[in-house]
Amino acid sequence: MEINDIVLANSKAKGKRPYFFDDAAVERVLNITMAVAGELAVVHERLDTIERLLEAKGTLSRADIEAYRPDPKSEEERQRWHAAYIARILRIVQQEMEAIRDENPENNRTMDEVADELEQI
Amino acid sequence: MNQAPINVPPAWHRIGKHEVAPEASHDEIARFNFLSNLNKYLATMVSPGNRIAFDKRVRPRFRREKGRDFENRREVREAMLRDPHFQTWSALRRAAMEMRQQAGRSLVLRQAKQLAEKAERLNAGKDTLQLNPNLTIPPYIAKVDNHLMPGSYHTELFEGDVSAAANYDMGLFVTTGGALGRFNDGGGKAIAQWLLSHHPEFKPKHILDIGCGLGHNVLPIAQAYPDAEVIAIDVGAPMLRYGHARAQAMGITNVKFIQMDGQYTGFPDESFDWIQTTMFLHETSGKSIYGIMKEIYRMLKPSGLTMHIEQPQYTPEMDLYEQFIRDWDAFYNNEPFWSKMHDIDTLELMTQAGFKAENFFQIGVRAVNDNEDHTKPRAPEPEDHGRAAVWNVFGAWKK
């Protein structure tokens, strides 16, 4: 019943992953960069919400923010956030490992190969 | 560059809410918003560059080297795969599809148990949900994680799991930029409206939807014909559990969700007045599509109707570049039967099943989009090939 939602969220789909650039390393870095770009957008949207709410409802002292130290429960939540964050950014590395680990060639075929089979069944 | 004003997609919080839907945090919504905008940008700003690259360098180079023009879309694809712009767009589009799956799955899997419990509360004791754990999953589903959805429609991470369906329900709005409406039901609404207005005399009492998924397109049909008994079948138990619970939560109770293979249903001959599929046939296979159509013919009553919503078929008249770009999802978004399916002569598909050629028809429909006007495109934009909410519908009356 217990599942590892962080790893499962990143699962690789069946099929050999296409790489469009001549060097797969470029595409790996592109994927990591795009994930970071996405997370920066998420933070931006959250800060934007906070700024708009502060503007509408009142003020918050910057000293309060500087002085803040999480209690143990908050600390655990924040560290878990970092774990999920890093797994999300490095998704492609996980999926390439899954491709190497999965010894069933059925799950690492190109869609050209699968299409040939599907045409026959 | 495309100089038209940027059309922004609706923010994700506008998605239709219902009781079984997952809870989404502020950051999860923001993540979806980023991905909708990334998809929109790739479709409207980056994808048009593929046509330019094709016209300006890929085609001239091919002609120079071969002394002739392209003869088929496979040649176009092989040449385009060497073009830097197509490589960049493809790498980004692939990344966007993988990120969309990641975003949906991370949202859904952290609350997978609660989602299963919510669905079970709505499903318990209802005879309108019938699952068959012994059903053989057809190979076209078992072997392919369609549109990069890990585990496809049928995989259960634990007993009672609905996460595959919840992920699909929450993410389709992102991939399509909300173009299918708040409940992703723009296709079902469009076909129901077309039938009501063009054939007001047709009063189907028994309706079957094959490959219903989580039922998003069959519910508007059930609402348009409230006196009909509607049966929605699919092979994926998570889809049916979630879809049934979702329908109950939305107060739509004239739909029975049954776990069945559309090719081998076991329904008696001449059971239905109307049999529908919506964006389903391209996820089947070369022989099964003919088998499913024969089964449809067998199950239809005399004077019954069948219709199938798909993206446009490839015809000899269709430009090779357009065929090639429409084919992207087949090879790079795990839709391997897409290419062959869109080559099939649909008239031949129907007549082989028993329908008469004179009763065959094709129409075009556009999704009914109930998003608020300010979130709809204000300026015309290039088509997001393979994703556009404009479809070809083919069908036939059994006469």
Side-chain angles (χ1 to χ4, degrees):
Chain A
M1 188 65 199
E2 281 291 307
I3 58 171
N4 185 335
D5 58 330
I6 293 177
V7 168
L8 283 173
N10 277 14
S11 297
K12 173 188 168 295
K14 284 180 191 138
K16 183 179 177 173
R17 189 186 194 282
Y19 283 81
F20 298 93
F21 295 123
D22 299 334
D23 184 348
V26 175
E27 198 144 335
R28 187 175 305 118
V29 175
L30 175 76
N31 272 264
I32 294 171
T33 310
M34 289 309 292
V36 176
E39 296 310 305
L40 178 60
V42 169
V43 174
H44 182 273
E45 189 164 313
R46 190 173 190 92
L47 273 179
D48 184 73
T49 301
I50 292 169
E51 285 172 13
R52 286 172 199 271
L53 286 175
L54 284 175
E55 196 170 75
K57 290 187 175 176
T59 56
L60 179 75
S61 146
R62 282 169 187 253
D64 287 347
I65 295 172
E66 290 299 328
Y68 176 76
R69 296 292 177 272
D71 62 23
K73 183 167 174 290
S74 311
E75 182 189 355
E76 161 78 21
E77 284 171 8
R78 284 155 72 112
Q79 292 300 82
R80 194 178 151 76
W81 180 90
H82 278 292
Y85 175 67
I86 292 164
R88 183 174 291 119
I89 290 176
L90 297 181
R91 164 188 48 72
I92 189 165
V93 181
Q94 177 186 326
Q95 293 185 352
E96 286 177 344
M97 287 190 302
E98 287 183 23
I100 301 165
R101 192 191 55 204
D102 189 346
E103 284 166 352
N104 184 357
E106 277 258 302
N107 295 336
N108 283 295
R109 293 180 296 166
T110 66
M111 285 304 118
D112 283 293
E113 290 162 351
V114 178
D116 288 340
E117 181 184 342
L118 289 187
E119 207 182 337
Q120 303 304 321
I121 59 178
Chain B
M1 285 297 278
N2 177 10
Q3 298 290 328
I6 285 258
N7 291 316
V8 294
W12 189 85
H13 68 272
R14 298 197 173 276
I15 196 171
K17 299 292 191 314
H18 52 79
E19 209 179 316
V20 245
E23 303 290 332
S25 70
H26 184 285
D27 289 0
E28 285 166 338
I29 294 172
R31 195 166 289 127
F32 278 149
N33 289 341
F34 168 74
L35 291 171
S36 301
N37 281 286
L38 175 60
N39 284 330
K40 192 83 163 187
Y41 186 85
L42 291 176
T44 59
M45 304 300 285
V46 186
S47 181
N50 291 319
R51 177 87 223 194
I52 297 167
F54 175 76
D55 288 339
K56 297 244 180 210
R57 57 191 189 199
V58 176
R59 194 176 184 191
R61 182 176 158 187
F62 185 91
R63 282 172 160 162
R64 216 165 41 239
E65 287 176 358
K66 306 272 180 180
R68 63 171 174 85
D69 207 345
F70 292 109
E71 282 173 359
N72 55 55
R73 63 176 183 266
R74 189 178 190 96
E75 286 183 352
V76 176
R77 181 158 68 102
E78 281 163 6
M80 286 295 283
L81 277 168
R82 293 195 297 273
D83 185 82
H85 183 83
F86 180 71
Q87 290 174 354
T88 301
W89 173 75
S90 294
L92 287 166
R93 201 182 203 217
R94 172 79 184 201
M97 295 309 297
E98 292 180 359
M99 289 166 77
R100 169 263 166 272
Q101 285 300 326
Q102 203 284 336
R105 287 169 65 82
S106 60
L107 163 75
V108 161
L109 292 174
R110 70 168 170 81
Q111 53 189 312
K113 194 179 163 195
Q114 293 94 308
L115 290 173
E117 284 165 0
K118 279 203 269 190
E120 176 56 21
R121 270 198 298 279
L122 285 152
N123 291 339
K126 301 266 170 38
D127 65 357
T128 40
L129 174 64
Q130 296 173 11
L131 299 180
N132 174 12
N134 299 319
L135 182 78
T136 303
I137 302 297
Y140 54 78
I141 296 294
K143 286 172 180 282
V144 184
D145 284 347
N146 276 291
H147 36 74
L148 299 178
M149 190 167 66
S152 191
Y153 299 100
H154 62 292
T155 301
E156 298 175 49
L157 298 171
F158 52 86
E159 203 180 324
D161 184 23
V162 298
S163 57
N167 172 34
Y168 189 102
D169 194 21
M170 299 298 103
L172 190 53
F173 195 83
V174 179
T175 312
T176 58
L180 304 178
R182 294 176 58 241
F183 288 94
N184 295 310
D185 58 359
K189 278 184 175 163
I191 205 71
Q193 285 186 9
W194 180 86
L195 193 56
L196 283 170
S197 63
H198 286 78
H199 295 278
E201 75 294 345
F202 184 59
K203 307 257 188 249
K205 288 279 172 221
H206 299 278
I207 300 172
L208 176 67
D209 186 88
I210 301 178
C212 66
L214 60 96
H216 47 299
N217 283 308
V218 75
L219 296 192
I221 289 172
Q223 288 176 300
Y225 295 93
D227 299 328
E229 186 197 40
V230 182
I231 295 180
I233 66 171
D234 199 277
V235 297
M239 307 305 281
L240 295 163
R241 274 189 206 109
Y242 183 92
H244 180 265
R246 180 179 179 269
Q248 295 285 320
M250 291 167 73
I252 302 163
T253 53
N254 60 326
V255 187
K256 199 180 270 184
F257 289 82
I258 308 180
Q259 190 175 13
M260 271 183 182
D261 180 342
Q263 195 175 348
Y264 311 103
T265 64
F267 287 120
D269 294 355
E270 303 183 357
S271 295
F272 297 97
D273 303 294
W274 175 14
I275 301 178
Q276 176 70 25
T277 75
T278 301
M279 292 302 282
F280 162 71
L281 294 174
H282 70 268
E283 291 183 3
T284 63
S285 63
K287 286 185 180 138
S288 70
I289 191 174
Y290 285 88
I292 290 163
M293 208 55 79
K294 285 198 174 73
E295 181 77 344
I296 287 173
Y297 186 83
R298 183 187 72 73
M299 293 187 289
L300 265 187
K301 292 182 188 181
S303 304
L305 168 68
T306 186
M307 288 194 284
H308 309 280
I309 298 186
E310 284 291 336
Q311 289 285 320
Q313 290 297 108
Y314 307 145
T315 59
E317 297 78 48
M318 189 186 274
D319 176 52
L320 284 182
Y321 173 83
E322 190 178 342
Q323 293 185 28
F324 144 76
I325 202 77
R326 287 187 177 284
D327 237 22
W328 191 92
D329 287 81
F331 303 103
Y332 310 124
N333 191 27
N334 272 22
E335 295 275 9
F337 187 53
W338 176 286
S339 189
K340 287 284 172 204
M341 190 270 146
H342 287 100
D343 268 340
I344 286 176
D345 177 348
T346 49
L347 171 60
E348 193 248 40
L349 171 66
M350 303 297 284
T351 52
Q352 279 224 354
F355 294 96
K356 292 183 187 144
E358 66 262 34
N359 298 323
F360 173 85
F361 63 90
Q362 290 197 80
I363 54 170
V365 295
R366 178 176 291 274
V368 176
N369 182 347
D370 62 354
N371 276 291
E372 291 175 48
D373 283 344
H374 76 270
T375 69
K376 292 180 188 170
R378 272 162 286 187
E381 54 188 29
E383 178 174 349
D384 191 7
H385 294 287
R387 313 274 162 76
V390 183
W391 299 286
N392 175 53
V393 179
F394 65 92
W397 297 88
K398 183 176 178 181
K399 284 177 185 163

